[in-house]
Amino acid sequence: DLSLLRFISAELTRGYFLEHNEAKYTERRERVYTCMRIPKELEKLMFFGIFLCLDAFLYVFTLLPLRVFLALFRFITLPCYGLRDRRLLQPAQVCDILKGVILVICYFMMHYVDYSMMYHLIRGQSVIKLYIIYNMLEVADRLFSSFGQDILDALYWTATEPKERKRAHIGVIPHFFMAVLYVFLHAILIMVQATTLNVAFNSHNKSLLTIMMSNNFVEIKGSVFKKFEKNNLFQMSNSDIKERFTNYVLLLIVCLRNMEQFSWNPDHLWVLFPDVCMVVASEIAVDIVKHAFITKFNDITADVYSEYRASLAFDLVSSRQKNAYTDYSDSVSRRMGFIPLPLAVLLIRVVTSSIKVQGVLAYVCVVLFYCGLISLKVLNSIVLLGKSCQYVKEAKMEEKLFNPVLTATPGKPAGKQQSMFKSTQGISTDENGSTSVTNQPVHQKENTPSLLVTSNSDQFLTTPDGEEKDISQDSSELKHRSSKKDLLEIDRFTICGNRID
C-alpha cells in the first residue's frame, strides 16, 4: 500500500551501486586528475617557451652586433681576397646587416617620440577611456605581430633571392622602407602600452590596474566555451608564451621609468614589487584556469603539452644544423608571433634615456654588462640546446633531423616538394595525407591496405593544408575530408589562437 510513511522510509533507505556505471565515473575521475596535472605541464611549457623568447631577445643585443661587424668586415676586405664565389655575402650575413640597419634607424627615429608628453597625455584621460585604449592596443599589437613577420620575411627573401630568377617583386629598397616603418610603428605601439601600464601603477586608487587585471579574466570567457583541437591549442599556447614574455619586458620598462623618476631610490622598488607580483600572479592564474577548462571541455590530455614542447625543441635543434632553413630567432617569431626587433628598439631607447653614462668607470661598467649579457646568452643557448635534444629524443623525432635539406627547384613550390618528400621519409602516412611525428616509423608493405582508422585526436599537431587541395580536386567523394599537414613544416603562426576551424 502506498503511504507517505512508506515513501519517506524508502527515500531514507534506498541504495545504489556506482560500479554499474564504472566507465562514466572513471572518466570523471580522470578529468579531475587531468585538471590537477594541467598547472604543472602548462608551466613546464611556459617556462621552456619563455626562455626560448629570452634567447631570441638576447640575440639582438649580443650576437647580432658581432655578426653585423663580421659581415661588414668581410664586405670591406673582400677585394683583398678576390671573388671566390658568386655571392658577395652569404644570405645569413645579408639578413644580419638588414636587421642591424633597421635597429639603428628605428632607434634614432624613436628619439623624436617624447615619452614624458605621452605619459601626461595618457594620465589625463579617464579610467574607462584608458581601459578601452588598453584593449585596443592589445588588438593592434596582435595585428602588427601577425603582419610584421611577413614584412620582414619578404625583405629577407627579396634581398637574398638568387638573381638568375625572374623578378617578381618591387625591389629591396621599398621592402626595406616598409620594414623600417613597421618596426618604428610597432615600437611606438608597445611604448603606449608601457605608458598605460605605468599610469596604472602610479594611480593612487589602483582602480585602473584592477580593471586591467580583470581584463585577463574576460579572456577566459572568450576562449573556454569554444571548440579547440590540438593545433588550435598549440597556437593559443604559443600566443600565451609570447604575451607573458612581453608583459615581463613591459614591467621591466615600467620599473626603469619609475626608478628614474625617484632618483634610483631602492626603497621605491619595494613599493612597486607588490603590484608587479599581482600582475604576474593574475596572468599565471588566468592561463592555468583557461587551459584547464579548455582541455576538460575538449577531452585533451595533459600529455599534449609535452608534445608542444617537443615541437618547439625541434625548431631549436633543426636551426642549429649546417643547412638550416632559417635563423632561430626568425623561427621563434613565426611560431609564437614574438618579434624581438620592436621590443628591443623600445628597451634600448628607455635604457639610454634612463641611465646616463659619464666617465671612464661608467663605460667600463657598460662593457662588463655587455660581457655578462653575452655570457647569459651563451649559457642560456647551451642549456636550451641540451634540453631540446632531450625532448626531441623523448618524442622520437630525431630521425627527422637527419633527413637531407630540400632545395626548391624553379617552377615548383616549396610546400608541394615538402609534402612529396614527406612521404619518402620513415613517417607513417594514411590515405588522407595525415602524419604522426611523435611515433616511430612503421614499415608496412606497399600492397597492404590500412585496416586501422586513426582519429584526428590521435594525430600530432596537424592543421589544414591549403597547398595540397589541388591534388584532390578531381575526386568528388573526398570533398568531406580535410587534408592534413605536419605542423613542424608550417612556419606560419596564428596569433588569434582561439579561432574555430
Side-chain angles (χ1 to χ4, degrees):
D1 295 333
L2 296 178
S3 64
L4 179 61
L5 192 60
R6 293 192 61 180
F7 177 78
I8 296 177
S9 176
E11 286 294 315
L12 294 176
T13 59
R14 66 185 178 89
Y16 49 87
F17 298 94
L18 298 182
E19 61 265 21
H20 291 168
N21 202 352
E22 180 180 356
K24 184 182 72 173
Y25 290 107
T26 303
E27 181 185 1
R28 296 294 190 274
R29 185 172 61 187
E30 291 300 325
R31 286 184 180 180
V32 174
Y33 293 161
T34 299
C35 289
M36 294 173 62
R37 287 183 57 196
I38 287 299
K40 179 182 177 181
E41 299 297 329
L42 176 63
E43 289 307 312
K44 283 183 180 180
L45 175 65
M46 290 287 176
F47 193 73
F48 183 72
I50 286 174
F51 275 96
L52 293 181
C53 293
L54 178 64
D55 191 68
F57 191 58
L58 290 177
Y59 171 82
V60 179
F61 302 99
T62 56
L63 299 185
L64 181 60
L66 299 179
R67 289 176 62 95
V68 172
F69 175 76
L70 292 177
L72 292 176
F73 181 77
R74 169 186 167 86
F75 183 75
I76 294 174
T77 59
L78 192 61
C80 300
Y81 298 99
L83 294 176
R84 296 181 180 179
D85 53 4
R86 302 175 61 183
R87 293 180 181 269
L88 297 177
L89 295 173
Q90 296 298 321
Q93 294 175 328
V94 175
C95 295
D96 291 334
I97 292 178
L98 289 174
K99 291 177 184 178
V101 174
I102 291 173
L103 199 65
V104 172
I105 292 178
C106 292
Y107 168 72
F108 285 105
M109 292 174 64
M110 288 295 292
H111 281 284
Y112 294 96
V113 181
D114 192 351
Y115 185 90
S116 301
M117 183 186 69
M118 185 182 299
Y119 177 83
H120 291 290
L121 181 64
I122 295 177
R123 191 173 185 178
Q125 307 299 323
S126 61
V127 175
I128 300 300
K129 187 181 293 186
L130 286 179
Y131 173 70
I132 298 175
I133 292 175
Y134 192 78
N135 288 337
M136 293 173 61
L137 291 176
E138 283 189 345
V139 176
D141 179 61
R142 296 189 178 189
L143 296 178
F144 266 91
S145 300
S146 178
F147 193 58
Q149 190 59 38
D150 292 339
I151 295 176
L152 295 176
D153 285 340
L155 171 64
Y156 301 152
W157 175 238
T158 305
T160 60
E161 188 178 8
K163 303 303 180 183
E164 62 269 12
R165 297 186 179 181
K166 181 180 179 181
R167 177 169 176 171
H169 54 82
I170 59 177
V172 179
I173 302 300
H175 279 287
F176 177 77
F177 283 116
M178 290 171 58
V180 171
L181 181 62
Y182 154 70
V183 174
F184 177 65
L185 294 178
H186 199 177
I188 293 178
L189 178 68
I190 301 175
M191 176 182 283
V192 177
Q193 279 186 301
T195 306
T196 308
L197 189 61
N198 195 7
V199 171
F201 269 67
N202 295 331
S203 59
H204 298 289
N205 53 3
K206 305 294 182 182
S207 59
L208 178 59
L209 185 62
T210 305
I211 293 176
M212 291 169 61
M213 288 173 55
S214 65
N215 185 39
N216 292 330
F217 291 91
V218 177
E219 184 181 354
I220 298 177
K221 178 183 177 182
S223 304
V224 167
F225 304 106
K226 291 184 179 181
K227 185 182 184 308
F228 276 85
E229 294 183 2
K230 281 187 176 183
N231 58 337
N232 304 111
L233 185 59
F234 181 52
Q235 294 162 356
M236 170 170 280
S237 301
N238 291 332
S239 178
D240 291 338
I241 293 172
K242 175 253 180 183
E243 181 181 358
R244 189 178 294 189
F245 181 80
T246 305
N247 288 337
Y248 290 161
V249 178
L250 291 180
L251 290 175
L252 175 62
I253 293 174
V254 169
C255 291
L256 288 175
R257 297 298 301 178
N258 277 275
M259 293 297 291
E260 181 200 3
Q261 297 299 324
F262 287 88
S263 301
W264 298 97
N265 185 8
D267 295 334
H268 183 68
L269 185 61
W270 297 107
V271 177
L272 297 173
F273 187 73
D275 295 333
V276 172
C277 292
M278 189 166 52
V279 172
V280 173
S282 67
E283 189 74 25
I284 294 175
V286 166
D287 289 340
I288 290 176
V289 173
K290 179 174 65 176
H291 284 265
F293 281 97
I294 286 176
T295 53
K296 176 184 181 300
F297 292 151
N298 295 276
D299 293 329
I300 301 176
T301 62
D303 297 329
V304 72
Y305 292 102
S306 62
E307 298 179 3
Y308 299 160
R309 190 175 56 190
S311 178
L312 296 178
F314 185 88
D315 290 341
L316 174 59
V317 177
S318 60
S319 66
R320 302 292 180 177
Q321 289 182 317
K322 182 178 180 180
N323 296 321
Y325 286 114
T326 182
D327 183 63
Y328 172 66
S329 60
D330 296 329
S331 177
V332 172
S333 301
R334 297 184 190 96
R335 181 73 74 176
M336 299 183 184
F338 171 68
I339 305 177
L341 286 181
L343 201 58
V345 169
L346 177 60
L347 187 59
I348 295 174
R349 170 72 174 86
V350 171
V351 170
T352 53
S353 62
S354 302
I355 301 176
K356 304 300 180 182
V357 180
Q358 297 177 352
V360 179
L361 183 60
Y363 285 101
V364 172
C365 293
V366 170
V367 173
L368 293 177
F369 180 73
Y370 180 71
C371 294
L373 282 181
I374 293 180
S375 302
L376 178 61
K377 168 68 173 67
V378 173
L379 179 62
N380 187 35
S381 299
I382 293 174
V383 174
L384 282 178
L385 185 59
K387 299 298 290 186
S388 298
C389 293
Q390 176 185 347
Y391 297 149
V392 169
K393 288 182 180 179
E394 291 176 355
K396 300 178 181 179
M397 299 161 57
E398 64 272 14
E399 293 186 0
K400 292 177 66 68
L401 294 172
F402 302 105
N403 292 325
V405 179
L406 282 179
T407 56
T409 57
K412 288 185 179 181
K416 294 185 179 181
Q417 276 196 339
Q418 290 179 2
S419 61
M420 294 173 61
F421 180 75
K422 186 171 56 179
S423 61
T424 64
Q425 300 174 2
I427 307 172
S428 59
T429 59
D430 59 7
E431 60 182 4
N432 294 337
S434 303
T435 62
S436 177
V437 299
T438 58
N439 298 327
Q440 283 282 25
V442 179
H443 300 284
Q444 297 179 353
K445 297 182 180 180
E446 296 179 358
N447 298 328
T448 304
S450 177
L451 299 179
L452 297 177
V453 179
T454 58
S455 62
N456 293 334
S457 60
D458 295 333
Q459 298 168 353
F460 174 70
L461 301 182
T462 54
T463 188
D465 179 18
E467 298 178 355
E468 296 180 356
K469 288 183 179 179
D470 55 341
I471 300 177
S472 59
Q473 285 181 353
D474 54 346
S475 302
S476 59
E477 72 236 4
L478 298 179
K479 289 183 178 180
H480 65 282
R481 301 179 183 178
S482 61
S483 58
K484 301 289 183 177
K485 187 176 182 180
D486 183 2
L487 189 62
L488 291 176
E489 298 179 0
I490 299 176
D491 58 359
R492 300 302 310 132
F493 63 88
T494 302
I495 197 63
C496 299
N498 56 353
R499 63 181 178 87
I500 301 178
D501 284 341

